[in-house]
Amino acid sequence: MPDTSVTSNNWLPAEVATFIARHEARYGAMPLLALDGELDRLVTDHERLVDCDCINLYAGTNIPNPRATALLGSTLGSRPNLGAPGAKYNKGMVHAEQLEIMLSMLLKKLFKADFVEHRVGSGSLANLYAYMATCKPGDAIMAFSDAAAGHPTHHEIGAAGLYGLKVHEVPFDTAKMDVNVDALRDVAKRIRPRLIIVAGSMCLFPYNVAAVRAVADEIGAYVLYDAAHMGGLIAGGAFQRPLVEGAHLMTGSTYKSFGGPPSGVVLTNSPELAEKLDKIAFPGLTANFDLSRTAAMIVAVMDLLEFGSTYAKACVANAQALAIALDKIGIAVFKPSGRDQFTTSQHVALDARSYGGGNAASARIEPANILFTSIGLPLPAMPGDANGIRIGTQEITRWGFKPTDMADIAALIARVLVKGELAASVRPDAMALRHRFQDIHFIRKGAV
Ligand SMILES: *Cc1c(COP(=O)(O)O)cnc(C)c1O
């Protein structure tokens, strides 16, 4: 009998361990035939809920091109694929290896970069690749703090710490939501980091990459721009151009604003860094890698090459309209004191302190089929919860929502957060609004 007692994973909170144990016991009692049915039901119900019935404002997601999703189901990814195209160790790759060349070419064109490493499983691993290419264990690096939406992979608990890096905070100007460059220069001269990371999981305004690069040059450090969230907007030319502005490296996730399959990329104009990244990818950290994602990525990149500019502008227009609509209806939209706009990206931030905290508010509104999450904001802390809420417009933009639709979304959010209406009673109206949008926009129909 498998041990399903809650003591087996007692590092988890008790209610989580109990939840897992209860369902594990339930599945353990099912014959395989019943599990077949359960498998199909869970996938179908998930897709209906999240892809069809929810207004998905989660900043770190998107709806992919169905053609990309279909390619993920090919057997490409199960076939070992070792070494450079043209010199594969395993045989029979004469067709498949061409996909790698095609994707590299397209990514370099999209981001106007000289080199790309796409054999990267995720944005988190892309950051690890960047650390390995620039740092040795024991080196100091600088990264955005939690209050500036720094990512766990930049910090001690994530890839940076697991690789043995010592992490220091990038001083942040909360009035501008940008790097405090003068303070950065002072701290960096003292700490002498090997790497300075710019950007995090919420980017309301572009960062002063050129000034960070100037500081980095004074101390011989590298600059890494983490474009996990901003890949789609950067591709569309609607945010900033980190490599042109001075970043040595740009990493990214490919399933957020990028709108592709779950994967990662690292881009650079430096041949030295590119060679290191190539060797980290193979034979370093991958033997086989998932070529079905390479194929799906080709679809996503072609979408961005054709529609990226209009898509990126539409994401920003929706975010700005949503922020204004939320503000108008009495929601506490976060606006930094040194800015005259709420946002110039796809992200909108809310001050969650009057809504019981970011996690509590996200859980309260979930039964309304409106999805978003918490984030740390440079506001007074909330004990036991996050002080902010983060919203992203990239998915609703691909579903065809326009700035004129944002007042409808704001009204639904206000019914739960401001008027205290039960989320479940708002759900029919949220679903009715969502169902008005049935087609995915900014995607190519493909060769027919
Ligand atoms: C989401 C995110 C990542 C991690 O990306 P994954 O592809 O999910 O591993 C890295 N950095 C930042 C800033 C992120 O927001």
Side-chain angles (χ1 to χ4, degrees), residues 32-46:
L32 296 186
L33 204 60
L35 286 177
D36 276 328
E38 189 72 355
L39 167 64
D40 291 341
R41 183 188 70 74
L42 289 170
V43 174
T44 307
D45 286 358
H46 169 81

Side-chain angles (χ1 to χ4, degrees), residues 122-125 127 151 153-154 200-201 226 228-229 253 255-256 263:
S122 67
S124 297
L125 289 171
N127 283 343
H151 192 258
T153 54
H154 307 162
S201 298
D226 185 339
H229 276 272
S253 297
Y255 63 93
K256 300 180 184 178
S263 199

